[in-house]
Amino acid sequence: MYFIDTHTHLFSEEFNEDGLAVIHRAIQARVKRLLLPNIDVSSIEALKSFKALDPEHCLPMMGLHPCSVNENYKADLQIIEKELFGGTNYIGVGEIGLDLYWDKTTLDWQLDAFLLQCQWAVDLDKAVSIHTRSATYEAIKLLKSMPKVPKGVFHCFSGSLEEAKEILKLGFYLGIGGVVTFKNSKLHEVLEHVPLDRIVLETDSPYLSPVPYRGKRNESAYIPLVAEKLAEIYRVDVLTIARQTSLNAESVFNFTV
Ligand code: NI
């Protein structure tokens, strides 16, 4: 039995002191692969250092996060494009998407950057890791407008049943993390209508720690806590959750453990 963390920012400064120990604890917890979505141009070096450090377990993605889309985004995307189409083998295109929670004024730039990066994913036949906040409908609309829709994951999904249905119809998977363990979360009600073969596990670490670590720094070793909660919701054992979600992750990101 093993798990896959499909979304961790292990290269962020919260892990500066103990990144290797975090990987080690993940492996001890049977989390065998850590997928690392990039944030922006400034994080590329740190991201690559983890790939160099532990290429077996750390699988980086390349992309420009919507919260990092600013007046320099075109120049930044040129650097991202060079990375993606260059010699480094990235497992996916991410983290990309739309975020209207923090800043609505950059929407046009965000849409432009999101569409372009989705097109790169189609061209390279790679999966996307999509972030949406207060913009899930806009993201679905953009994907639907594409002649060929990329494959991928709506990471940290916490939307409505209607949104989930639209996302599944597009062929996408839902990334489920610590939020599902929160006492006030209604996510379990949505998941009752989502087949298990469309779910992947994630931490989004260092953020969104599952209970009982809520509010503290998150790490990939906590993935089994998310799996245990899903086992409860789907009324299956943790082994079934581990097997199916790992199969899903390997299928959409096209790798084998
Ligand atoms: Ni993220």
Side-chain angles (χ1 to χ4, degrees), residues 7-9 37-39 65 95 129 131 155 202 204-205 207:
H7 197 111
T8 167
H9 302 288
N38 187 45
I39 298 293
H65 191 290
E95 175 168 357
S129 184
H131 162 112
H155 119 77
E202 64 166 66
D204 201 17
S205 55
Y207 313 109

Side-chain angles (χ1 to χ4, degrees), residues 11-254:
F11 52 88
S12 67
E13 60 181 17
E14 283 85 347
F15 297 109
N16 273 354
E17 303 296 316
D18 63 345
L20 265 181
V22 169
I23 297 173
H24 188 69
R25 282 197 292 273
I27 296 165
Q28 295 269 299
R30 301 186 185 195
V31 183
K32 284 205 177 171
R33 294 293 182 273
L34 315 182
L35 275 54
L36 276 46
N38 187 45
I39 298 293
D40 55 30
V41 167
S42 72
S43 57
I44 294 176
E45 204 181 318
L47 177 80
K48 284 177 138 178
S49 74
F50 274 97
K51 170 139 174 117
L53 207 60
D54 187 344
E56 185 190 349
H57 300 102
C58 296
L59 308 177
M61 301 185 206
M62 185 46 58
L64 181 64
H65 191 290
C67 293
S68 295
V69 172
N70 54 38
E71 63 274 10
N72 296 320
Y73 82 97
K74 285 198 187 234
D76 291 348
L77 281 175
Q78 277 183 4
I79 295 167
I80 304 275
E81 182 182 20
K82 232 172 140 181
E83 278 296 324
L84 254 183
F85 289 82
T88 308
N89 187 19
Y90 290 103
I91 194 86
V93 180
E95 175 168 357
I96 64 174
L98 300 172
D99 192 311
L100 295 179
Y101 182 81
W102 295 109
D103 190 353
K104 287 186 181 61
T105 63
T106 61
L107 177 60
D108 286 346
W109 295 342
Q110 286 190 44
L111 286 167
D112 192 27
F114 183 35
L115 181 61
L116 185 61
Q117 294 181 92
C118 282
Q119 192 53 54
W120 290 342
V122 171
D123 294 344
L124 290 163
D125 194 25
K126 288 185 194 289
V128 291
S129 184
I130 294 181
H131 162 112
T132 67
R133 194 157 182 205
S134 307
T136 305
Y137 172 72
E138 285 83 352
I140 292 167
K141 201 173 131 192
L142 179 139
L143 289 168
K144 276 184 172 171
S145 78
M146 296 182 69
K148 185 169 191 288
V149 180
K151 55 184 179 169
V153 177
F154 269 71
H155 119 77
C156 195
F157 178 80
S158 55
S160 67
L161 179 58
E162 286 67 34
E163 287 168 341
K165 281 180 175 167
E166 289 286 329
I167 290 166
L168 295 179
K169 239 190 277 173
L170 281 169
F172 273 75
Y173 292 76
L174 304 184
I176 303 297
V179 172
V180 77
T181 69
F182 296 176
K183 210 176 170 188
N184 53 352
S185 166
K186 295 259 183 280
L187 193 50
H188 61 97
E189 292 170 13
V190 175
L191 290 181
E192 278 168 20
H193 304 274
V194 176
L196 194 52
D197 63 6
R198 303 299 285 282
I199 301 263
V200 295
L201 303 178
E202 64 166 66
T203 54
D204 201 17
S205 55
Y207 313 109
L208 298 169
S209 271
V211 172
Y213 302 107
R214 190 174 179 181
K216 304 206 173 84
R217 187 187 74 171
N218 198 2
E219 62 175 77
S220 298
Y222 299 161
I223 278 281
L225 294 166
V226 176
E228 280 163 25
K229 184 68 194 183
L230 285 175
E232 217 177 274
I233 293 168
Y234 283 93
R235 298 182 195 90
V236 295
D237 53 16
V238 174
L239 177 65
T240 305
I241 298 290
R243 268 194 193 141
Q244 187 62 55
T245 57
S246 296
L247 191 70
N248 300 343
E250 288 170 63
S251 157
V252 66
F253 286 101
N254 193 24

